[in-house]
Amino acid sequence: SSLRLLDVNLRKPYFNAQVIRDSIAVANGLKLNDEELPIVAEALAISDRPDEFASTMIRDHGIKFLMITRGAGGASMYRGDES
C-alpha cells in the first residue's frame, strides 16, 4: 500500500469543509498544525483535543499516522495505538 500524505496547509479562500473531508478520504497520512486542528476537527465533527482527534482519525478515517506541529512547541506524532 502506498503512502498518501495530506499536508493540510489551509489557505483562505481555497478550502471549505467539503474539500477537507474529500482530501482526508483519500489520505492515509496526515500532517497539520495546531491552528489547522480545530478547523479540520470542525469539518469532520470530531473533538479538537489532539489525542482524541488522532485516535478518531486512526480508528475511523483510515489514517495510519498523523503529525500535529506546534511551531516552537514541537510536534506530536501518532501511529496506531502509539504516540
Side-chain angles (χ1 to χ4, degrees):
S1 71
S2 62
L3 174 63
R4 297 177 314 275
L5 175 64
L6 172 62
D7 182 347
V8 174
N9 202 18
L10 300 177
R11 298 289 183 258
K12 290 183 180 182
Y14 303 106
F15 71 90
N16 59 41
Q18 189 62 51
V19 168
I20 293 169
R21 289 190 297 269
D22 290 348
S23 298
I24 289 172
V26 296
N28 61 14
L30 185 63
K31 183 266 177 195
L32 69 163
N33 65 44
D34 55 351
E35 294 177 359
E36 296 163 332
L37 176 60
I39 297 167
V40 173
E42 181 177 344
L44 299 172
I46 64 175
S47 173
D48 65 355
R49 294 183 60 206
D51 290 345
E52 292 176 20
F53 177 85
S55 293
T56 301
M57 294 305 294
I58 290 166
R59 184 185 64 242
D60 298 341
H61 294 276
I63 299 298
K64 294 180 180 179
F65 72 91
L66 185 143
M67 174 84 63
I68 301 172
T69 61
R70 295 180 181 84
S76 296
M77 182 170 177
Y78 301 85
R79 182 172 178 228
D81 294 330
E82 304 169 12
S83 63

